[in-house]
Amino acid sequence: MRRRWVKVLTIVVVVLAVLGVTADRVAVHYANQEAATLARQKYGYGADTTDGYLNVSINGFPFLTQVLSGRLDDVTLSAGNLVLNSRANAQGDYLDVQKLDLDLHGVTVTSLAARSAQVDLVTGDLTLTYQALSGVITRLMSNGGGLTVGPAPGSDGQQARFRVTGTWGGRQVDTVGSLLAQGAEIDISVPGVGSSGGSSSGSNTSTETTGPGTYVWGVQLPVNAGFSAATATPTGVDLSVIGHQVVLGSYPSAG
């Protein structure tokens, strides 16, 4: 009789555990979808192109215990095929972003009504391909010919360097441009190429020219998050993102 009761209790415990895990996984799946929707609404991630994507994953187990405490240990956000679009005076000033990855450490929900939270630490990176840089530089700065961007040595801190070759104004061009990532802005400059073209602002980015061959884009990042480094790689430029005491759900850091 005793063995039977032990067996019954064991079965009950296993069933409850399975139900608990199932409920936890269902809840985290729903929360991931809601978080992705919020990020898309607040920052426009994955909303600009037909092939854009946005995934949010709340890590750690059990999820429901984290919810009850009001604090999530780790949340990852991955978005790709983004377009930093603006209502620009300069035609073709859109900049394609291959991907944006953010890792949120220590997320505390500050207001359920306002759907806002504070994050202890945010790290991540944004990737621009040379193909995308070639496209936007050609559209904005070319003068009767195509310009091709490739890697160049000399990246330092928040400034990455790249090589620009092609035809401009009827002459061959072989020069070195720079990409400065500072705050929530991307500043692209190619000395001796292009011309200034006014300024503009838009929903997901603002674009302005600061001189011949120089353009600036403002990227939608959470408040208190910004770029900390820019590095030229064999395939593109990687921009590192970092932020402390970052605010989610409030106004983004660049508009």
Side-chain angles (χ1 to χ4, degrees):
M1 179 67 70
R2 182 178 179 181
R3 289 182 178 179
R4 180 183 176 186
W5 277 109
V6 171
K7 183 178 180 180
V8 170
L9 288 175
T10 301
I11 293 174
V12 170
V13 169
V14 170
V15 170
L16 291 176
V18 170
L19 291 175
V21 171
T22 301
D24 192 85
R25 294 302 87 191
V26 170
V28 75
H29 177 72
Y30 175 78
N32 288 340
Q33 292 181 323
E34 285 296 301
T37 299
L38 179 60
R40 188 176 293 108
Q41 292 173 346
K42 291 289 185 179
Y43 307 108
Y45 300 154
D48 296 319
T49 61
T50 56
D51 60 347
Y53 65 86
L54 172 62
N55 298 314
V56 174
S57 179
I58 300 173
N59 306 311
F61 181 83
F63 164 71
L64 292 175
T65 301
Q66 297 183 68
V67 171
L68 291 175
S69 69
R71 182 178 175 85
L72 305 175
D73 296 332
D74 183 74
V75 179
T76 56
L77 180 150
S78 179
N81 299 327
L82 312 178
V83 175
L84 302 181
N85 231 349
S86 68
R87 299 169 185 170
N89 293 328
Q91 184 177 3
D93 66 346
Y94 58 89
L95 178 61
D96 297 321
V97 175
Q98 183 181 46
K99 66 175 182 175
L100 171 66
D101 294 323
L102 297 177
D103 198 354
L104 288 58
H105 308 273
V107 181
T108 300
V109 178
T110 54
S111 173
L112 290 175
R115 306 179 78 181
S116 62
Q118 182 168 302
V119 187
D120 294 342
L121 174 65
V122 171
T123 58
D125 63 271
L126 181 148
T127 301
L128 302 170
T129 66
Y130 289 128
Q131 181 180 1
L133 291 173
S134 297
V136 73
I137 288 175
T138 294
R139 290 190 299 272
L140 292 176
M141 304 181 191
S142 68
N143 182 12
L147 298 172
T148 301
V149 176
S155 294
D156 183 22
Q158 292 173 277
Q159 182 169 280
R161 293 168 68 84
F162 53 85
R163 185 182 181 189
V164 179
T165 58
T167 304
W168 189 84
R171 62 181 174 85
Q172 290 299 308
V173 171
D174 190 344
T175 187
V176 175
S178 66
L179 186 153
L180 178 65
Q182 196 169 34
E185 290 186 338
I186 298 173
D187 183 319
I188 295 177
S189 178
V190 184
V193 173
S195 61
S196 60
S199 63
S200 66
S201 61
S203 59
N204 288 338
T205 174
S206 61
T207 304
E208 61 180 3
T209 60
T210 59
T214 301
Y215 288 82
V216 179
W217 287 261
V219 182
Q220 298 283 36
L221 294 174
V223 173
N224 296 334
F227 298 117
S228 60
T231 306
T233 72
T235 57
V237 178
D238 287 342
L239 311 182
S240 299
V241 178
I242 193 167
H244 299 274
Q245 301 304 310
V246 171
V247 179
L248 299 178
S250 184
Y251 292 104
S253 55

